[in-house]
mmCIF file of all heavy atoms in Angstrom:
data_model
loop_
_atom_site.group_PDB
_atom_site.id
_atom_site.type_symbol
_atom_site.label_atom_id
_atom_site.label_comp_id
_atom_site.label_asym_id
_atom_site.label_seq_id
_atom_site.Cartn_x
_atom_site.Cartn_y
_atom_site.Cartn_z
ATOM 1 N N VAL A 160 18.008 86.491 -1.987
ATOM 2 C CA VAL A 160 17.782 86.532 -0.544
ATOM 3 C C VAL A 160 17.245 85.157 -0.184
ATOM 4 O O VAL A 160 16.217 84.731 -0.716
ATOM 5 C CB VAL A 160 16.766 87.635 -0.158
ATOM 6 C CG1 VAL A 160 16.307 87.472 1.280
ATOM 7 C CG2 VAL A 160 17.396 89.011 -0.355
ATOM 8 N N ASP A 161 17.997 84.425 0.677
ATOM 9 C CA ASP A 161 17.591 83.065 1.004
ATOM 10 C C ASP A 161 18.126 82.688 2.398
ATOM 11 O O ASP A 161 18.926 83.425 2.976
ATOM 12 C CB ASP A 161 18.151 82.096 -0.033
ATOM 13 C CG ASP A 161 17.523 80.703 0.048
ATOM 14 O OD1 ASP A 161 16.519 80.530 0.781
ATOM 15 O OD2 ASP A 161 18.043 79.767 -0.615
ATOM 16 N N LEU A 162 17.648 81.573 2.875
ATOM 17 C CA LEU A 162 18.111 81.048 4.170
ATOM 18 C C LEU A 162 19.402 80.264 3.976
ATOM 19 O O LEU A 162 19.551 79.542 2.966
ATOM 20 C CB LEU A 162 17.044 80.139 4.764
ATOM 21 C CG LEU A 162 15.734 80.833 5.055
ATOM 22 C CD1 LEU A 162 14.684 79.814 5.500
ATOM 23 C CD2 LEU A 162 15.906 81.927 6.074
ATOM 24 N N VAL A 163 20.298 80.387 4.924
ATOM 25 C CA VAL A 163 21.556 79.654 4.881
ATOM 26 C C VAL A 163 21.742 79.000 6.253
ATOM 27 O O VAL A 163 21.545 79.646 7.270
ATOM 28 C CB VAL A 163 22.731 80.631 4.629
ATOM 29 C CG1 VAL A 163 24.061 79.874 4.643
ATOM 30 C CG2 VAL A 163 22.545 81.381 3.303
ATOM 31 N N SER A 164 22.054 77.701 6.257
ATOM 32 C CA SER A 164 22.443 77.129 7.554
ATOM 33 C C SER A 164 23.882 76.682 7.560
ATOM 34 O O SER A 164 24.729 77.337 8.144
ATOM 35 C CB SER A 164 21.446 76.056 8.015
ATOM 36 O OG SER A 164 21.030 75.213 6.994
ATOM 37 N N SER A 165 24.231 75.615 6.858
ATOM 38 C CA SER A 165 25.641 75.184 6.849
ATOM 39 C C SER A 165 26.482 76.006 5.875
ATOM 40 O O SER A 165 27.690 76.087 6.005
ATOM 41 C CB SER A 165 25.735 73.714 6.465
ATOM 42 O OG SER A 165 25.322 73.544 5.126
ATOM 43 N N GLY A 166 25.828 76.569 4.839
ATOM 44 C CA GLY A 166 26.558 77.255 3.790
ATOM 45 C C GLY A 166 26.941 76.339 2.641
ATOM 46 O O GLY A 166 27.494 76.775 1.631
ATOM 47 N N ASP A 167 26.670 75.036 2.769
ATOM 48 C CA ASP A 167 27.042 74.061 1.753
ATOM 49 C C ASP A 167 26.382 74.352 0.397
ATOM 50 O O ASP A 167 27.028 74.194 -0.653
ATOM 51 C CB ASP A 167 26.660 72.638 2.182
ATOM 52 C CG ASP A 167 27.558 72.112 3.310
ATOM 53 O OD1 ASP A 167 28.593 72.781 3.606
ATOM 54 O OD2 ASP A 167 27.232 71.069 3.900
ATOM 55 N N THR A 168 25.122 74.723 0.421
ATOM 56 C CA THR A 168 24.417 74.980 -0.860
ATOM 57 C C THR A 168 25.037 76.152 -1.593
ATOM 58 O O THR A 168 25.220 76.108 -2.820
ATOM 59 C CB THR A 168 22.916 75.203 -0.613
ATOM 60 O OG1 THR A 168 22.407 74.143 0.205
ATOM 61 C CG2 THR A 168 22.138 75.232 -1.927
ATOM 62 N N LEU A 169 25.358 77.226 -0.855
ATOM 63 C CA LEU A 169 25.998 78.381 -1.491
ATOM 64 C C LEU A 169 27.327 77.941 -2.108
ATOM 65 O O LEU A 169 27.616 78.210 -3.281
ATOM 66 C CB LEU A 169 26.232 79.501 -0.494
ATOM 67 C CG LEU A 169 24.994 80.227 0.066
ATOM 68 C CD1 LEU A 169 25.435 81.383 0.988
ATOM 69 C CD2 LEU A 169 24.113 80.770 -1.062
ATOM 70 N N ARG A 170 28.160 77.268 -1.294
ATOM 71 C CA ARG A 170 29.507 76.853 -1.769
ATOM 72 C C ARG A 170 29.411 75.942 -2.984
ATOM 73 O O ARG A 170 30.138 76.126 -3.959
ATOM 74 C CB ARG A 170 30.274 76.125 -0.655
ATOM 75 C CG ARG A 170 31.049 77.085 0.238
ATOM 76 C CD ARG A 170 31.968 76.320 1.201
ATOM 77 N NE ARG A 170 31.208 75.531 2.146
ATOM 78 C CZ ARG A 170 30.676 75.999 3.264
ATOM 79 N NH1 ARG A 170 30.849 77.273 3.580
ATOM 80 N NH2 ARG A 170 29.980 75.225 4.069
ATOM 81 N N ALA A 171 28.474 75.015 -2.987
ATOM 82 C CA ALA A 171 28.355 74.067 -4.099
ATOM 83 C C ALA A 171 27.950 74.766 -5.390
ATOM 84 O O ALA A 171 28.099 74.244 -6.480
ATOM 85 C CB ALA A 171 27.328 72.994 -3.748
ATOM 86 N N ASN A 172 27.389 75.977 -5.266
ATOM 87 C CA ASN A 172 26.930 76.707 -6.455
ATOM 88 C C ASN A 172 27.715 77.977 -6.726
ATOM 89 O O ASN A 172 27.236 78.882 -7.418
ATOM 90 C CB ASN A 172 25.441 77.000 -6.293
ATOM 91 C CG ASN A 172 24.605 75.725 -6.383
ATOM 92 O OD1 ASN A 172 24.542 75.096 -7.423
ATOM 93 N ND2 ASN A 172 24.049 75.320 -5.247
ATOM 94 N N HIS A 173 28.934 78.058 -6.181
ATOM 95 C CA HIS A 173 29.804 79.208 -6.412
ATOM 96 C C HIS A 173 29.169 80.528 -6.020
ATOM 97 O O HIS A 173 29.308 81.519 -6.727
ATOM 98 C CB HIS A 173 30.277 79.253 -7.878
ATOM 99 C CG HIS A 173 30.779 77.928 -8.360
ATOM 100 N ND1 HIS A 173 31.998 77.438 -7.979
ATOM 101 C CD2 HIS A 173 30.217 76.978 -9.152
ATOM 102 C CE1 HIS A 173 32.168 76.226 -8.521
ATOM 103 N NE2 HIS A 173 31.091 75.945 -9.225
ATOM 104 N N LEU A 174 28.482 80.507 -4.884
ATOM 105 C CA LEU A 174 27.879 81.733 -4.387
ATOM 106 C C LEU A 174 28.528 82.083 -3.038
ATOM 107 O O LEU A 174 29.091 81.217 -2.388
ATOM 108 C CB LEU A 174 26.368 81.563 -4.191
ATOM 109 C CG LEU A 174 25.546 81.164 -5.421
ATOM 110 C CD1 LEU A 174 24.097 80.898 -5.025
ATOM 111 C CD2 LEU A 174 25.618 82.225 -6.491
ATOM 112 N N LYS A 175 28.407 83.359 -2.670
ATOM 113 C CA LYS A 175 28.913 83.793 -1.347
ATOM 114 C C LYS A 175 27.860 84.680 -0.704
ATOM 115 O O LYS A 175 27.179 85.444 -1.353
ATOM 116 C CB LYS A 175 30.233 84.555 -1.504
ATOM 117 C CG LYS A 175 30.118 85.794 -2.368
ATOM 118 C CD LYS A 175 31.462 86.537 -2.586
ATOM 119 C CE LYS A 175 31.218 87.715 -3.565
ATOM 120 N NZ LYS A 175 32.452 88.381 -4.008
ATOM 121 N N ALA A 176 27.780 84.567 0.636
ATOM 122 C CA ALA A 176 26.870 85.415 1.394
ATOM 123 C C ALA A 176 27.550 86.763 1.597
ATOM 124 O O ALA A 176 28.733 86.813 1.932
ATOM 125 C CB ALA A 176 26.572 84.780 2.736
#
Side-chain angles (χ1 to χ4, degrees):
V160 167
D161 194 9
L162 299 174
V163 178
S164 40
S165 67
D167 288 349
T168 309
L169 291 184
R170 272 189 296 276
N172 291 293
H173 312 286
L174 301 175
K175 60 182 176 189

